[in-house]
Amino acid sequence: MATKARTQARRTRAMDRFALFSECLLVGVWIAVAALPLFTFPAAFAAGTRHLRRHLDGEQGGLRAFAADALSAARGGWLVGAAVWAAGALLWLDLAAVRAGLPGGPLVGAVGILVLIGFLVAVLRAATCWQPGALWRTLLAEAGRETVRDPAGSLLLVCGMAVVALSGAMILPLAVPVVGAVAAAATAVHARRLSR
């Protein structure tokens, strides 16, 4: 009887883990589709991490709730998405200066890359903390502080972004579900911060 109960408990834990894994893959697809307008990536990521938090809390959610969250987050989130694209354009100019051989170019290029990576981590952290009615400016300010205060969590998010980039470079469609794994990592980093 006790062996049967242990086997059932192990099977239930394994099924819960697989359900979370499949939910992450599905959320990656939802985020990728919602981010197709490009400026909506922060809002899509916010909706995806909110969906994962609901799933982990045992609450009901689905595509309809994800879409409502994405639309709500996009109200201010599209400005954050535009800022990401503007930062990327500035980095491109920095790297053009490096290639042109300007004095100090390599240092400026390295600093530009580090600043962009830090900004992207802050955007992911802000999106993970988003709730309906939250102001993106406030979320970004707190996320910027957390990016510096929690280097381990920030490194996890950097590695997640690197995995998405490498997956996309090897097999482009593979990057889509991997975004869901980054959303799960960001959700875990957020939960770890709240538990401290």
Side-chain angles (χ1 to χ4, degrees), residues 37-116:
L38 300 180
F39 292 108
T40 57
F41 177 76
F45 197 82
T49 55
R50 187 151 192 262
H51 174 79
L52 287 177
R53 285 195 309 271
R54 272 196 302 264
H55 176 78
L56 290 170
D57 292 340
E59 297 174 13
Q60 245 352 58
L63 181 57
R64 193 172 286 187
F66 171 86
D69 284 341
L71 285 173
S72 179
R75 287 191 186 102
W78 72 270
L79 286 170
V80 178
V84 169
W85 282 100
L90 285 174
L91 178 63
W92 183 79
L93 287 174
D94 275 352
L95 295 178
V98 170
R99 278 186 241 116
L102 293 174
L107 177 63
V108 171
V111 168
I113 290 171
L114 290 176
V115 167
L116 181 64

Side-chain angles (χ1 to χ4, degrees), residues 10 13 19 26 36 63 71 75 92 109 111 148 156 168 177 179:
R10 267 190 296 226
R13 276 195 310 268
L26 179 63
L36 281 177
L63 181 57
L71 285 173
R75 287 191 186 102
W92 183 79
V111 168
V148 175
L156 178 65
V179 171

Side-chain angles (χ1 to χ4, degrees), residues 117-185:
I117 289 171
F119 180 60
L120 289 174
V121 168
V123 167
L124 292 182
R125 282 179 178 267
T128 304
C129 297
W130 179 85
Q131 295 287 338
L135 295 174
W136 280 94
R137 181 180 26 224
T138 307
L139 293 173
L140 280 171
E142 180 59 29
R145 286 188 287 274
E146 279 303 311
T147 298
V148 175
R149 276 189 237 149
D150 180 21
S154 297
L155 182 61
L156 178 65
L157 295 177
V158 169
C159 290
M161 290 186 294
V163 169
V164 170
L166 291 173
S167 299
M170 289 190 290
I171 304 170
L172 186 59
L174 185 61
V176 171
V178 173
V179 171
V182 176

Side-chain angles (χ1 to χ4, degrees), residues 8-22:
Q8 184 64 28
R10 267 190 296 226
R11 184 176 299 144
T12 302
R13 276 195 310 268
M15 289 174 67
D16 287 346
R17 290 175 182 159
F18 184 74
L20 178 59
F21 174 70
S22 62

